[in-house]
């Protein structure tokens, strides 16, 4: 048996073991079995790591993380882009992402440094602005940094009191590595690392974070370890000359949470003291509410995944930061495969509610290789979802909500007479016999054939006949066929474009009719299309709103490739592909995109499956009004300069006349001044706000619209 088959079998066993462990943890029972499963998962993980290297999968192995202290939100705002991404433009760095946000170049916005499995550091410079982030490709080990063996976990703090940010790093062997910043605030340069300075002692798999836990004005250190414990290093020195006492194991009421505890501090209930959220090897987030005080913390019994948080994979590594600049703390988490998961706080500073753009609307993980297709299968006027998966089954999620607010029921396997077709099923829907209901066609991996399920029922109650292989003249195109239907020649019938494992595209022109399709021999990469690598997964929609069909493609590495149609509806010509346009980002391996207007706001949202069986939702926050892109039909915002001194300018666009009110409030919600309250006309607006009378500090610009919408933007006054 070759390595590829062994690897696939190990992945199945790994997923099965992990799911069992998660069930036992949720039930809080059978602790002996939990331990057995944790050890099994660790062994499987080690084997998978070796096989990944042998197979050169370039994926990502083991572990993680560091929580970063964030006592107050920084002046960063998420970029306003077409699709709201879980990664905010960040890219997969390999195994074991462990993010920390910090302004390393002194330009007023948040850069990101992350560790990885191999002990290196990856620097994502924010080359945008504070209100509009733009991250460059990562630099490995910049500023004189060097690797620290395995599982580098960075945390930043000014440990020598000289005004710039030093770095403390944990690693797999438990030591702490101190990189003193011998440069400046805007041009850091890190000296060679010192091991276990300031009286620190090694743990096993150290994951540090800093916080003033006794309210004495200096930074204490909390560290997680391999066994899920927390170690408190009390700073008995000063802010500029720290000296750490011998560590206390699980102080303040903290408790062991399993394997690889990764702590992060933030005031999540807005009561003036620091609460703690910790990641772990089983991917959940563990919340310890501080029921004591800022000077004498007491942590309550752990809660799992509060505030709407959800599992992100294995070895979750959380960090808190205000990424959308609305005055509350969002959460970014790394995980074992090197991805970054963004949980936007849609609640308030005092009552957070986190929304991960991931398995939205009640969708659930279906195993591996999820490939989604939308269709109204019960004729209720809303979008149901059918998904293929790794083992060749079909999973049906009925929309029991509405067009405006979808809610998906528990998954059904192979409903309506559907049956398993082998491996890597990839469904798509079209009325192929012109009888008014939706038939289904699916690709498959091993044979590369197309399986046709004719709907012999009705529009409201589909019944699918036994599959026919390669009907209508369709033919084998190679392993991993993934079909998509579209009228590409403008003759009124449905043609077919199919991706494959090779990364090419095969075009089957329908030379028959809508009622009796006949597909000619396939053409490879027509209309200017080109190979994209492995596992091309196409879908069609008019993404630039010019009346013809553009093509979006998923692929093995998890990226999206956009082929813009620069020709016409009847004679397409596809421009060279653009990778991850519109703010899209890598989601996982084997991205499988599908478009639908899921929030019924008149534009196309994107749902994509991936190799881990989850569904990732990219909400389209832009619509087209007279050819001008505006966010949520209200406007695209910019606030500058920020920080400000005497004056700040707010720019935005309205798609219709509307009542608008501006006011400035402090972080307690106290209104400082009402600046504007007036009816504004449709179009672009630029408004200057006087800040000269404000005491230096952090404020919120609150903007209320006549349609009920509210926008909050952080303002720093110097």
């Amino acid at each position: 048996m070759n390595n590829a088959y062994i690897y696939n079998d190990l992945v199945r066993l790994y997923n099965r073991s992990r799911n069992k462990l998660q069930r036992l943890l949720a039930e809080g029972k059978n602790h002996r079995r939990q331990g057995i499963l944790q050890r099994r998962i660790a062994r499987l993980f080690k084997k998978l790591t070796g096989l990944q290297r042998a197979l050169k999968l370039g994926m990502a192995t083991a572990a993680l993380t560091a929580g970063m202290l964030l006592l107050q939100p920084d002046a960063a705002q998420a970029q306003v882009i077409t699709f709201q991404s879980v990664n905010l433009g960040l890219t997969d760095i390999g195994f074991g992402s462990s993010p920390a946000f910090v302004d390393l170049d002194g330009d007023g916005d948040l850069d990101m440094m992350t560790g990885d499995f191999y002990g290196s550091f990856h620097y994502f410079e924010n080359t945008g602005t504070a209100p509009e982030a733009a991250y460059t490709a990562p630099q490995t080990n910049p500023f004189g940094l060097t690797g620290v063996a395995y599982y580098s976990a960075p945390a930043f703090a000014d440990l020598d009191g000289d005004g710039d940010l030093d770095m403390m790093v944990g690693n797999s062997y438990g030591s702490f590595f101190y990189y003193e910043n011998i440069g400046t605030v805007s041009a850091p340069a890190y000296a060679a690392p010192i091991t276990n300075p300031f009286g620190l002692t090694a743990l096993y798999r150290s994951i540090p974070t800093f916080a003033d836990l006794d309210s004495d004005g200096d930074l204490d250190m909390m560290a997680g370890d391999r066994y899920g414990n927390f170690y408190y290093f009390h700073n008995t020195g000063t802010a500029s000359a720290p000296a750490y006492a011998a560590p206390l194991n699980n102080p303040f009421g903290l408790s062991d949470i399993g394997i690889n505890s990764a702590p992060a501090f933030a005031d999540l209930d807005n009561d003036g003291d620091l609460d703690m959220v910790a990641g772990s090897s089983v991917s959940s987030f563990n919340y310890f509410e501080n029921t004591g005080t800022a000077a004498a913390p007491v942590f309550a019994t752990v809660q799992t995944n509060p505030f709407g948080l959800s599992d992100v994979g294995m070895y979750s590594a959380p960090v808190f930061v205000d990424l959308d600049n609305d005055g509350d703390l969002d959460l970014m988490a790394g995980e074992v495969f090197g991805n970054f998961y963004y949980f936007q706080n849609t609640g308030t500073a005092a009552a957070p509610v986190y929304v991960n753009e991931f398995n939205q609307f009640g969708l659930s993980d279906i195993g591996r290789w999820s490939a989604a297709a939308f269709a109204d299968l019960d004729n209720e006027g809303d979008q149901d979802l059918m998904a293929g998966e790794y083992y060749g089954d079909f999973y049906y999620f009925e929309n029991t909500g509405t067009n405006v607010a979808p809610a998906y029921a528990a998954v059904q396997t192979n409903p309506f007479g559907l049956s398993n077709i082998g491996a890597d099923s990839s469904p798509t829907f079209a009325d192929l016999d012109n009888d008014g209901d939706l038939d289904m066609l699916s690709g498959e991996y091993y044979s590369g054939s197309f399986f046709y399920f004719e709907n012999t029922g009705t529009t409201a109650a589909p019944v699918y006949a036994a599959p026919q292989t390669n009907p209508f003249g369709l033919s084998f195109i190679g392993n991993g066929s993934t079909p998509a239907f579209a009228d590409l020649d403008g003759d009124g019938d449905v043609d077919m474009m199919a991706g494959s494992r090779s990364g090419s595209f095969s075009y089957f022109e329908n030379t028959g009719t809508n009622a009796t399709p006949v597909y000619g021999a396939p053409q490879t990469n027509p209309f200017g299309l080109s190979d994209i690598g492995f596992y091309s997964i196409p879908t069609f929609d008019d993404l630039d709103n010019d009346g013809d069909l553009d093509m979006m493609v998923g692929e093995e590495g998890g990226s999206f490739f956009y082929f813009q149609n620069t020709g016409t509806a009847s004679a397409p010509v596809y421009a060279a592909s653009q990778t991850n346009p519109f703010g899209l980002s890598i989601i996982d391996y084997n991205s499988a995109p599908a478009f639908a207007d899921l929030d019924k706001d008149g534009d196309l949202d994107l749902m994509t499956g991936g190799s881990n069986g989850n569904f990732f939702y990219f909400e389209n926050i832009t619509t087209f009004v007279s050819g001008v892109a505006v966010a949520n039909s209200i406007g695209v915002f910019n606030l500058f300069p920020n920080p400000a001194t005497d004056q700040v300018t707010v720019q935005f666009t309205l798609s219709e006349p509307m009542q608008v009110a501006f006011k400035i409030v402090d972080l307690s919600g106290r209104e400082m001044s009402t600046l504007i309250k007036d009816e504004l006309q449709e179009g672009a607006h630029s408004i200057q706000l006087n800040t000269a009378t404000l005491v230096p500090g952090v404020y919120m610009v609150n903007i209320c619209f006549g349609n009920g919408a509210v926008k909050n933007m952080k303002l720093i006054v110097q």
Side-chain angles (χ1 to χ4, degrees):
M1 185 177 292
N2 65 32
N3 282 343
Y5 285 108
I6 296 172
Y7 176 81
N8 288 335
D9 286 341
L10 287 175
V11 168
R12 293 186 191 102
L13 182 57
Y14 163 81
N15 285 332
R16 197 178 302 124
S17 300
R18 180 175 171 269
N19 290 337
K20 288 180 180 177
L21 177 59
Q22 287 179 319
R23 284 197 298 271
L24 291 176
L25 289 169
E27 295 167 357
K29 60 185 184 182
N30 204 334
H31 295 286
R32 181 176 178 275
R33 181 63 174 163
Q34 289 180 27
I36 293 171
L37 285 169
Q38 287 175 340
R39 290 190 290 273
R40 178 189 294 172
I41 289 168
R43 289 195 300 270
L44 289 168
F45 213 65
K46 186 176 180 179
K47 291 180 180 179
L48 284 168
T49 300
L51 282 172
Q52 285 163 357
R53 291 172 182 156
L55 293 166
K56 298 180 179 180
L57 294 181
M59 288 174 18
T61 13
L64 79 216
T65 175
M68 172 187 170
L69 169 67
L70 197 76
L71 291 177
Q72 62 180 29
D74 246 292
Q77 181 173 340
Q79 186 179 5
V80 180
I81 51 181
T82 302
F83 291 97
Q84 188 169 321
S85 163
V86 294
N87 282 0
L88 300 175
L90 300 170
T91 57
D92 184 339
I93 53 102
F95 281 130
S97 52
S98 55
F101 286 93
V102 66
D103 183 6
L104 282 174
D105 53 8
D107 62 355
D109 54 42
L110 286 174
D111 311 299
M112 194 183 84
M113 186 78 77
T114 182
D116 74 359
F117 170 71
Y118 298 103
S120 295
F121 304 97
H122 302 267
Y123 171 56
F124 293 84
E125 182 187 0
N126 186 352
T127 57
T129 63
E132 190 167 336
Y135 289 99
T136 61
Q139 304 170 45
T140 303
N141 294 332
F143 313 125
L145 294 170
T146 54
V148 295
Y150 293 100
Y151 305 108
S152 51
F156 290 90
D158 182 7
L159 292 173
D160 54 6
D162 63 354
D164 54 39
L165 290 169
D166 310 299
M167 190 171 82
M168 188 74 76
V169 181
N171 84 336
S172 60
Y173 301 111
S175 293
F176 298 97
F177 295 85
Y178 171 58
Y179 292 84
E180 182 187 358
N181 186 354
I182 55 176
T184 65
V185 171
S186 58
Y190 290 101
I194 303 172
T195 305
N196 296 329
F198 314 125
L200 294 171
T201 55
L203 307 175
Y204 184 26
R205 178 70 183 96
S206 51
I207 307 170
T209 191
F210 290 95
D212 185 3
L213 290 173
D214 54 5
S215 268
D216 63 352
D218 55 40
L219 289 173
D220 309 299
M221 193 177 85
M222 187 76 76
D225 79 343
R226 172 70 176 81
Y227 301 107
N229 294 299
F230 301 97
Y231 288 85
Y232 172 57
F233 293 85
H234 180 210
N235 187 353
T236 57
T238 66
S240 59
Y244 291 103
L248 300 176
N249 187 1
N250 292 329
F252 315 126
L254 295 171
S255 57
D256 182 341
I257 60 168
I259 299 175
N260 282 84
S261 47
F265 289 96
D267 184 3
L268 291 175
D269 52 8
N270 207 36
D271 63 354
D273 54 41
L274 290 172
D275 310 297
M276 192 179 85
V277 170
S280 73
S281 65
V282 295
S283 77
S284 299
F285 297 100
N286 302 275
Y287 172 55
F288 294 88
E289 181 188 357
N290 187 352
T291 57
T293 66
V298 177
F299 292 104
T301 304
V302 63
Q303 303 174 46
T304 304
N305 290 337
F307 315 122
L309 295 170
S310 58
D311 289 5
V312 299
M314 288 192 67
Y315 297 97
S316 51
V319 61
F320 290 97
V321 63
D322 185 5
L323 282 172
D324 56 6
N325 204 34
D326 63 353
D328 53 40
L329 290 173
D330 310 299
L331 187 147
M332 183 76 76
E335 53 86 63
V336 68
F337 292 113
N339 294 300
F340 302 96
Y341 289 79
Y342 170 51
F343 292 85
Q344 182 185 11
N345 186 351
T346 60
T348 65
V353 177
Y354 289 103
V355 178
N356 184 11
E357 307 297 321
F358 174 90
N359 286 345
Q360 291 283 77
F361 315 119
L363 294 171
S364 57
D365 186 336
I366 62 168
R368 294 183 66 201
W369 308 100
S370 49
F374 288 98
D376 185 3
L377 291 173
D378 51 10
N379 203 35
E380 292 181 345
D382 52 37
Q383 296 286 331
D384 308 299
L385 188 147
M386 187 76 75
E389 56 85 62
Y390 179 76
Y391 297 103
D393 289 310
F394 299 97
Y395 290 81
Y396 172 57
F397 294 88
E398 181 189 357
N399 187 353
T400 57
T402 66
N403 253 332
V404 180
Y408 290 101
V411 64
Q412 303 174 46
T413 305
N414 294 328
F416 314 127
L418 295 171
S419 56
N420 182 286
I421 61 168
D424 291 351
S425 47
S426 54
T428 189
F429 292 91
D431 184 4
L432 291 173
D433 53 7
N434 205 35
D435 63 353
D437 53 41
L438 289 172
D439 309 298
M440 193 179 88
L441 193 80
S442 178
E444 191 265 350
Y445 179 77
Y446 289 112
S447 70
S449 295
F450 301 97
F451 293 82
Y452 171 57
F453 293 86
E454 181 187 358
N455 186 354
T456 58
T458 65
T459 55
V463 177
Y464 290 103
Q468 304 172 45
T469 305
N470 293 329
F472 315 123
L474 295 171
S475 58
F476 170 79
I477 62 165
N479 290 352
S481 54
T482 53
F485 289 104
D487 183 5
L488 291 173
D489 53 7
D491 63 354
D493 55 39
V494 180
D495 310 300
M496 194 180 85
M497 188 77 75
S500 70
R501 184 183 182 279
S502 68
S504 62
F505 302 97
S506 300
Y507 171 58
F508 294 85
E509 181 186 357
N510 186 355
T511 58
T513 66
N514 263 330
T516 314
V518 177
Y519 291 102
Q523 304 171 46
T524 303
N525 294 336
F527 314 127
L529 295 171
S530 57
D531 285 15
I532 61 160
F534 289 98
Y535 294 102
S536 49
I537 306 171
T539 189
F540 291 92
D541 267 298
D542 185 5
L543 293 174
D544 55 5
N545 206 38
D546 64 352
D548 54 41
L549 289 173
D550 311 296
M551 190 170 84
M552 187 74 77
V553 183
E555 56 87 52
E556 182 185 46
S559 289
F560 300 93
F561 292 83
Y562 171 56
F563 292 88
Q564 183 185 10
N565 186 354
T566 57
T568 66
S570 58
V573 176
Y574 289 103
S577 65
Q578 303 173 44
T579 305
N580 294 329
F582 314 123
L584 294 171
S585 58
I586 297 174
I587 53 95
D588 184 19
Y589 292 90
N590 287 80
S591 49
F595 288 98
D597 184 5
L598 290 172
D599 52 8
K600 278 297 171 207
D601 62 353
D603 53 42
L604 291 168
D605 309 298
L606 188 147
M607 185 78 75
T608 183
S611 64
N612 63 9
N614 289 300
F615 300 95
F616 298 81
Y617 172 56
F618 293 85
E619 181 190 356
N620 187 345
I621 58 174
T622 298
T623 58
F624 288 88
V625 181
S626 303
V628 179
V630 296
N632 290 337
S633 302
I634 297 171
V636 177
F637 290 86
N638 193 16
L639 180 71
F640 66 94
N642 193 7
T645 52
D646 299 330
Q647 180 177 283
V648 65
T649 299
V650 183
Q651 292 180 334
F652 60 99
T653 305
L654 296 179
S655 63
E656 59 187 70
M658 194 177 300
Q659 181 90 3
V660 179
F662 282 75
K663 61 183 178 182
I664 294 179
V665 301
D666 64 18
L667 294 184
S668 68
R670 180 165 56 101
E671 183 173 334
M672 308 303 294
S673 62
T674 298
L675 303 166
I676 293 176
K677 189 174 184 181
D678 202 357
E679 182 85 8
L680 300 181
Q681 297 303 307
E682 175 184 351
H685 296 269
S686 181
I687 296 175
Q688 285 72 47
L689 309 180
N690 181 18
T691 57
T693 59
L694 297 176
V695 176
V698 182
Y699 300 85
M700 300 298 299
V701 179
N702 177 268
I703 311 168
C704 300
F705 298 91
N707 64 358
V710 177
K711 176 72 175 179
N712 289 297
M713 293 180 289
K714 183 184 298 177
L715 170 65
I716 297 177
V717 177
Q718 295 181 334

